[in-house]
Amino acid sequence: MKLVRVGAAGAEKPALIDADGVLRDLSAHVSDFDGAALSDASLAKIAAIDTASLPKLDAGLRFGVPVTRIGKIVCVGLNYADHAAESGLDVPKEPVLFLKATTSLTGPNDPVTIPRGSVKTDWEVELGVVIGKRASYVEKADALDYVAGYTVINDVSEREYQIERGGTWDKGKGCDTFSPIGPWMVTRDEIIDPQALDLWLDVNGKRFQNGNTRTMVFGVAELVSYISEFMTLEPGDIISTGTPPGVGLGQKPPVYLKAGDTMTLGIAGLGEQTQVTRAWARNL
C-alpha cells in the first residue's frame, strides 16, 4: 500500500493511493498514521478495505509527511563507500549515527529554507525506514519484521554548520525544513528487497546523485538491529539510511544550494519529491 497524509500543514488527513493511482480518503477508518496505526494488525485492517468504497480526493492536495508524531529521526552517516570517499573520510567500521530534530520535518514538496547566513546548504537523497513496532536489541535476522514501510527522505545538510562549527553533525542537519519526507510510505510487503532500490537526485535539472541501495555499507536489517542496541526504536520513528555519492560537497569545486534552486529526487517504487529553496526570512 501507498499511505499518505494530505492537506494543509498541521491539518493533514490519512489517505492512500489505490492501484489505479487515485487518491482515496481513509479518515473514516483511521484517525492518522501515527505509531499505533503502523502496527502489522492495523496495516492489515487497512489492506482489507475495499479501496473502491473510499471517497476520492483531489489529486492536487498538498502531501504532508506520511507519518505523524514521529519521536525521533535516526540518521546514518557515510553509509555508501563512494560517498565516504568523496567526503574525504574512511568507510566506517560501524554505523555512524546522529539525530535530526523533529522540527526539521516538512512535506515532500514544501519549500526548503536556506538558513540565515548559510553558504553551504547541500542535498542528500536517502531511503527512509519507518518503524512499525517497538524494537530493542533486535536480531538482524528478525529486524525487517519491525519495519512498517519505506519512504523517500532528502537529508538536507548545512556543511559549514556540520563540519566547521565546533563538532557534532547535528548542527548542520536539524535546521527547519531540512527533512522533507514522502510523498508516501510504501508498506514493507511491497518492497521485496530494500537493498535493490535505485535512488537519484537532480538540482535544476542536472543529475547529481544516481545510486542504488545495494551499495550500502550497512543494509537496512543490520541498521535496525544495530540502532536498537543503543536506543529503543518506537513505532513511527524513522531511520534515514545514508546517501550515495554526488552531494554538493563532493563536487570539484563544491556546489551548494542558493535561493530559487529546485531539487527533484526519488527512489524506485517510493515516489518523487520536488523542493524549491528559499532564503531565510523572519516571518517564515
Side-chain angles (χ1 to χ4, degrees):
M1 294 182 292
K2 293 177 180 176
L3 304 180
V4 301
R5 297 173 66 250
V6 294
E12 297 94 343
K13 62 181 178 180
L16 60 75
I17 309 290
D18 71 15
D20 296 319
V22 177
L23 185 63
R24 302 274 186 173
D25 189 354
L26 271 173
S27 58
H29 298 270
V30 60
S31 60
D32 211 341
F33 292 134
D34 57 8
L38 299 174
S39 69
D40 287 348
S42 177
L43 294 176
K45 288 181 180 179
I46 295 170
I49 297 169
D50 175 13
T51 56
S53 69
L54 298 172
K56 293 182 180 181
L57 292 171
D58 181 357
L61 285 170
R62 170 189 173 270
F63 283 72
V65 178
V67 296
T68 189
R69 289 185 278 282
I70 296 166
K72 53 187 173 288
I73 310 163
V74 186
C75 302
V76 185
L78 306 175
N79 198 30
Y80 290 72
D82 33 13
H83 172 56
E86 72 174 352
S87 301
L89 299 169
D90 294 334
V91 175
K93 296 179 180 179
E94 294 187 42
V96 174
L97 305 181
F98 61 93
L99 299 177
K100 294 194 82 158
T102 54
T103 47
S104 69
L105 289 164
T106 192
N109 302 312
D110 292 344
V112 164
T113 300
I114 296 176
R116 182 174 64 180
S118 167
V119 294
K120 294 184 179 180
T121 296
D122 202 348
W123 56 83
E124 293 190 4
V125 59
E126 305 201 1
L127 173 65
V129 177
V130 181
I131 299 299
K133 61 181 178 180
R134 198 169 191 266
S136 178
Y137 294 102
V138 171
E139 296 296 327
K140 179 180 175 182
D142 303 322
L144 294 185
D145 293 339
Y146 290 79
V147 174
Y150 301 93
T151 190
V152 181
I153 298 179
N154 189 352
D155 176 22
V156 185
S157 308
E158 212 297 343
R159 302 303 187 188
E160 179 187 1
Y161 301 175
Q162 177 187 356
I163 299 168
E164 304 171 34
R165 295 290 294 273
T168 76
W169 287 9
D170 302 66
K171 294 176 190 175
K173 295 286 190 172
C175 302
D176 292 352
T177 75
F178 269 26
S179 296
I181 299 181
W184 41 70
M185 183 192 81
V186 177
T187 50
R188 74 169 187 268
D189 58 296
E190 293 196 7
I191 303 300
I192 296 171
D193 183 1
Q195 305 308 143
L197 303 175
D198 291 328
L199 62 172
W200 54 271
L201 182 145
D202 296 347
V203 179
N204 299 330
K206 178 180 178 181
R207 180 65 44 93
F208 279 91
Q209 292 189 273
N210 195 15
N212 188 286
T213 56
R214 67 174 172 268
T215 65
M216 283 182 180
V217 180
F218 308 103
V220 171
E222 186 170 2
L223 291 175
V224 172
S225 174
Y226 181 87
I227 293 168
S228 76
E229 293 183 29
F230 299 96
M231 64 192 83
T232 297
L233 293 167
E234 298 284 1
D237 285 350
I238 292 180
I239 301 172
S240 195
T241 58
T243 198
V247 301
L249 174 67
Q251 306 304 306
K252 300 186 184 305
V255 176
Y256 296 113
L257 296 165
K258 60 186 184 303
D261 285 343
T262 298
M263 292 178 283
T264 307
L265 57 147
I267 300 178
L270 301 182
E272 299 181 6
Q273 306 180 352
T274 297
Q275 300 105 31
V276 178
T277 58
R278 62 184 178 183
W280 179 90
R282 189 171 298 278
N283 61 347
L284 291 177

